Amino acid sequence: MVADRAVAAEAAARSQSGWFFDRGSISSPGPDRCRHVQRLGQELLGALILLLSVDLDPALSALRPLGGFFVLHAPPPLPSGRTAEAAPLAHAYAPGHVNAAADVQVPVHRSDPLDRRVRRVASALGAPEIRVAASVAQQGLAARLWSVTLACAVLYGHVPDLDPRLLHWDPEATAPDDLWLTEVRARPGDGGTVADVVLTTHLGPLTEAVHTRYGVATGLLRGNAASALAGAGRELDRWARRHGRTDTAARARSLTAGLLAHPLLAGTGTLTGTSFRRRSCCLYYRVPGGGVCGDCCFPSPPGPARSPRPPEPARSPRPPEPARSPRPPEPARSPRPPEPARPPEPGSSPPPPRPPRSSPGARSG
């Protein structure tokens, strides 16, 4: 059974590498052939890890083909020149950077790693508000944690124990040199364990620290965590389909969908296939020239916040109109004088006099 898988692994390695060789041609090793054999051995190792779903290898080498964002340095030594900068992530989550009552004691001589990261992001983006930089920094760290853990669960069938005391973080570095695991301890790769490794152990304390220190809403930070998870799952699905690994792609989609239904992430957005639309905004549109992200709840950047319109001043009551003086009575008109009698025209006889009117009831003789 193992021999059959080894043959399958060799065929997969050669098909993915894009070159072939004749077994007889490597009987007399030379410099070029030795390099070919070394390259083949590395590819065989990676293919065996992918096909056999074995326990985690100490170097987590199966993550390397996925690209820098999925890579986790393990175990020591740390990448050159970064030893003095890296600190356990537990230091970043401490409620106070130096707090005698905290479970995790942070050395007094070490600077605050979370604030260093936030300030670095603010400077790089020209963020006008510190809470914008804090939101972007939290989402970036969440994406790194999801990418590493999700890829290990899909490719190995196991995940490393990312205990914050074992996982070191360099806030000044970029992927993949920002994270370093001092010891690889395998845990199961089921959805419940992945949620415990990332959500409970890291993103819960990180959300609390960012909310408390920088005033970023917890609902927004939960949306950032969901967006980072969906993005990691989408990239893993694309990588697997490009390499003809349909089973790996299906596993990535299934695991991502299950994790988005976790109580700590449920209701943060809608997943359709590998496309995610969140119900909150990471505030990146507030960065000069930032715009909105592909999964943002806003179709376009909102306009500048408008201050509420001040209330109109109360109008003073209209003064009463002054009382009008009574209109003086019009003067009595004098009676119109009677018109004078017209004289009779010459040559005309005067009209006969009218008989007097009889009084009512008078009898004639």
Side-chain angles (χ1 to χ4, degrees):
M1 186 66 174
V2 174
D4 293 338
R5 288 182 174 177
V7 173
E10 179 180 350
R14 294 197 299 180
S15 64
Q16 290 179 7
S17 64
W19 58 274
F20 297 86
F21 68 95
D22 182 3
R23 290 180 184 273
S25 66
I26 62 172
S27 57
S28 301
D32 292 339
R33 289 171 182 161
C34 288
R35 284 194 293 270
H36 286 176
V37 171
Q38 184 180 11
R39 178 181 176 184
L40 175 62
Q42 293 174 346
E43 292 176 345
L44 280 172
L45 176 61
L48 279 169
I49 291 169
L50 295 177
L51 290 176
L52 299 179
S53 186
V54 296
D55 203 354
L56 298 174
D57 70 286
L60 300 177
S61 56
L63 303 181
R64 294 173 188 168
L66 276 72
F69 218 68
F70 288 86
V71 174
L72 176 62
H73 290 297
L78 192 65
S80 59
R82 311 308 305 182
T83 307
E85 301 294 335
L89 263 173
H91 293 180
Y93 305 153
H97 190 58
V98 179
N99 187 343
D103 294 335
V104 177
Q105 296 302 314
V106 181
V108 176
H109 67 275
R110 188 174 295 279
S111 60
D112 181 354
L114 180 58
D115 193 64
R116 285 171 59 197
R117 182 65 174 180
V118 171
R119 301 290 172 181
R120 184 175 185 274
V121 171
S123 176
L125 298 180
E129 304 170 69
I130 195 65
R131 70 187 186 107
V132 175
S135 169
V136 174
Q138 179 260 359
Q139 187 169 14
L141 181 55
R144 283 288 279 132
L145 295 168
W146 280 127
S147 296
V148 169
T149 311
L150 199 64
C152 284
V154 170
L155 299 180
Y156 286 106
H158 296 80
V159 296
D161 183 0
L162 300 183
D163 188 309
R165 294 167 296 185
L166 301 177
L167 185 60
H168 286 60
W169 182 45
D170 182 356
E172 301 292 336
T174 57
D177 296 334
D178 55 340
L179 292 179
W180 166 52
L181 188 61
T182 59
E183 181 182 352
V184 178
R185 301 175 182 174
R187 297 186 62 181
D190 61 281
T193 303
V194 173
D196 180 62
V197 167
V198 180
L199 275 176
T200 307
T201 304
H202 286 277
L203 298 188
L206 177 61
T207 295
E208 182 64 26
V210 173
H211 170 69
T212 301
R213 298 182 60 179
Y214 302 101
V216 185
T218 55
L220 184 156
L221 296 173
R222 288 175 62 240
N224 284 357
S227 175
L229 167 61
R234 183 167 53 253
E235 289 303 312
L236 188 55
D237 172 77
R238 288 174 179 171
W239 175 86
R241 287 189 289 108
R242 278 199 308 268
H243 291 81
R245 299 185 55 82
T246 55
D247 56 337
T248 301
R251 170 70 173 151
R253 291 193 300 269
S254 174
L255 191 56
T256 301
L259 289 167
L260 285 171
H262 188 279
L264 293 178
L265 298 179
T268 54
T270 303
L271 182 68
T272 306
T274 60
S275 178
F276 183 72
R277 175 71 65 181
R278 61 186 292 177
R279 292 191 174 94
S280 58
C281 174
C282 70
L283 305 179
Y284 183 69
Y285 76 91
R286 292 178 177 265
V287 173
V292 296
C293 305
D295 63 352
C296 187
C297 62
F298 295 123
S300 59
R306 296 181 179 180
S307 57
R309 185 177 180 180
E312 295 183 359
R315 296 181 178 179
S316 56
R318 187 175 180 179
E321 296 182 0
R324 295 181 178 179
S325 56
R327 187 175 181 180
E330 296 182 359
R333 294 180 179 179
S334 56
R336 186 176 182 180
E339 296 181 0
R342 294 180 179 178
E345 295 181 3
S348 63
S349 57
R354 294 180 179 179
R357 293 182 179 180
S358 57
S359 61
R363 292 182 181 180
S364 60

